[in-house]
Amino acid sequence: RYGMYAMLQRRILDQRGLQATEIVSLGLGSTDGGLGTGVVLLAFDGLVAYDMIQKMMHHTRPYEIEEGASEAVHDKYLAQLLDVMRDHSERIKTRGGQLLAYLGMGLEDYEELLERAQAEFAAIPRRDEDRPLVGVVGEFYVRLHPDSNQNIVRKLERAGAEVWLAPLTEFVMYSNYLTGWLAEDALRDQPTWINARMAMGKRFLASLAEKVEHGLFHATLPYMDGFDDVPPREVVDLGADYVNRRFGGEAICSMGKAEDFAIRGADGVVSVAPFNCMPGMTVTALSQSLRERHGGIPFLCLEYDGFEDAARDTKIRTFVKQIADARAARKATEAQGA
């Protein structure tokens, strides 16, 4: 479907007399859509920084005493992030600024912003509650767009959970990693300059992305200790136990991140997807295998078709009650053993 969006949007704009409005379509064939590598670097740095701000909000909001305090801090630093990106965009237009970006350097403004943000989130008065941790995976757009998933994060929080949302940058990094891996595979079969250039370029970008993510996550410490996300190669390696990496698409990301959540101690996993989405159905089919591997960890798969569904909301509340009870029972057993 990705390839169809720009074509449909072009027709809609043309019908409205907006033929002069250009559409840039990003994808595996064109990482920058003709806008230049500097735009990609600028966008990626900003997306990683936003991932960190959103993650800090999700780690704070369920426990806040004053409702809205976490979102106020989130909105404050999102506005500041946009200012930092504007300044960064000017620097990245220069040769020196672009060189620093290629080296994963020159991110001091982002780091300073995240350091201030983590201190402010940490200072928000909190209730002393023991909530189960839920990892949320699934189709890229539905997972990240609250209106599309009917505010799944909020609903899980209101039901009594804390949410760890798979990051916005996950699919971007995965696409780059998989394209490079396929290029390296092709290079072994056909050692051409085109395959070599693709393999080297994608490997360099993957290394740069990991360096940026690691550096910006470090700026959120100590508040977000233990909430670092694994790099795409590890997501793929974990997901490959369930889905062949040549299969491509989002299913291997969802299964790999769900496996990571289970290993890292999450109490349950939720996968969201559009109605009748093939990767989503693949995850639903494979979720039982993950449950069995991890001692019956609850794994809830939800589909969204644009309509409100009271049964879906009941499933969410029941799911959180189930994992909360299991967490309380486990802690009681551990206390008795101690």
Side-chain angles (χ1 to χ4, degrees):
R1 291 195 305 271
Y2 287 143
M4 299 297 293
Y5 293 147
M7 295 166 62
L8 174 61
Q9 290 160 355
R10 177 76 277 156
R11 289 174 61 87
I12 292 172
L13 291 177
D14 289 349
Q15 289 170 2
R16 284 160 174 75
L18 299 172
Q19 292 87 349
T21 302
E22 296 185 12
I23 294 178
V24 175
S25 184
L26 308 181
L28 299 183
S30 176
T31 304
D32 61 13
L35 296 175
T37 306
V39 172
V40 176
L41 297 174
L42 173 67
F44 183 77
D45 294 344
L47 291 176
V48 174
Y50 176 69
D51 264 339
M52 303 303 168
I53 294 171
Q54 185 181 55
K55 187 183 295 189
M56 287 187 279
M57 180 181 69
H58 290 162
H59 186 47
T60 310
R61 188 169 61 188
Y63 308 96
E64 65 185 12
I65 293 175
E66 180 186 349
E67 185 174 357
S70 301
E71 288 194 14
V73 175
H74 166 277
D75 293 348
K76 169 184 174 180
Y77 282 97
L78 175 57
Q80 292 184 21
L81 173 60
L82 296 177
D83 291 336
V84 169
M85 290 184 69
R86 289 189 192 98
D87 294 339
H88 195 52
S89 70
E90 294 302 316
R91 287 196 300 272
I92 216 169
K93 291 175 184 176
T94 67
R95 289 186 178 181
Q98 196 161 108
L99 176 60
L100 288 176
Y102 273 119
L103 296 174
M105 301 169 64
L107 300 176
E108 293 81 7
D109 289 348
Y110 291 97
E111 292 169 352
E112 190 270 337
L113 180 144
L114 292 173
E115 287 170 0
R116 288 189 287 108
Q118 69 88 24
E120 198 160 333
F121 276 111
I124 292 176
R126 299 163 61 99
R127 292 186 298 273
D128 184 16
E129 293 181 355
D130 180 41
R131 287 178 171 238
L133 180 64
V134 176
V136 175
V137 301
E139 194 270 342
F140 179 69
Y141 186 82
V142 170
R143 182 182 82 225
L144 296 167
H145 191 250
D147 289 340
S148 295
N149 60 46
Q150 296 174 5
N151 290 290
I152 181 64
V153 173
R154 275 289 204 176
K155 288 180 179 179
L156 287 166
E157 289 175 350
R158 288 168 181 158
E162 177 185 341
V163 174
W164 184 347
L165 182 66
L168 172 63
T169 51
E170 178 189 75
F171 192 72
V172 179
M173 295 176 70
Y174 159 72
S175 297
N176 178 77
Y177 169 79
L178 185 63
T179 306
W181 183 83
L182 291 172
E184 290 177 3
D185 192 47
L187 183 62
R188 286 188 286 269
D189 294 333
Q190 191 175 6
T192 65
W193 166 241
I194 293 177
N195 287 335
R197 184 176 62 182
M198 175 68 79
M200 289 187 294
K202 294 298 183 180
R203 176 169 286 195
F204 169 76
L205 289 176
S207 175
L208 176 61
E210 286 185 33
K211 181 177 181 180
V212 169
E213 188 171 44
H214 176 77
L216 294 187
F217 173 76
H218 189 266
T220 70
L221 299 177
Y223 187 56
M224 296 305 296
D225 187 29
F227 283 84
D228 51 311
D229 286 298
V230 297
R233 65 177 184 277
E234 192 167 337
V235 171
V236 171
D237 288 344
L238 293 171
D241 287 344
Y242 304 93
V243 184
N244 190 300
R245 67 186 67 210
R246 293 182 182 278
F247 187 72
E250 293 160 335
I252 194 169
C253 285
S254 293
M255 293 306 300
K257 192 59 182 173
E259 177 75 8
D260 176 51
F261 281 142
I263 292 171
R264 303 275 285 278
D267 297 286
V269 178
V270 173
S271 173
V272 298
F275 176 71
N276 213 29
C277 170
M278 184 179 293
M281 291 189 289
T282 301
V283 171
T284 299
L286 294 171
S287 61
Q288 183 59 35
S289 298
L290 189 142
R291 290 189 189 100
E292 293 171 355
R293 175 179 286 194
H294 294 282
I297 182 174
F299 196 130
L300 178 63
C301 297
L302 300 172
E303 290 188 340
Y304 291 87
D305 54 9
F307 295 97
E308 295 287 343
D309 185 350
R312 187 192 300 120
D313 292 344
T314 300
K315 288 179 182 177
I316 293 170
R317 291 192 296 269
T318 302
F319 171 79
V320 175
K321 181 68 165 61
Q322 176 190 7
I323 62 175
D325 289 346
R327 180 182 177 89
R330 184 172 65 252
K331 290 211 162 191
T333 301
E334 290 172 355
Q336 291 175 356

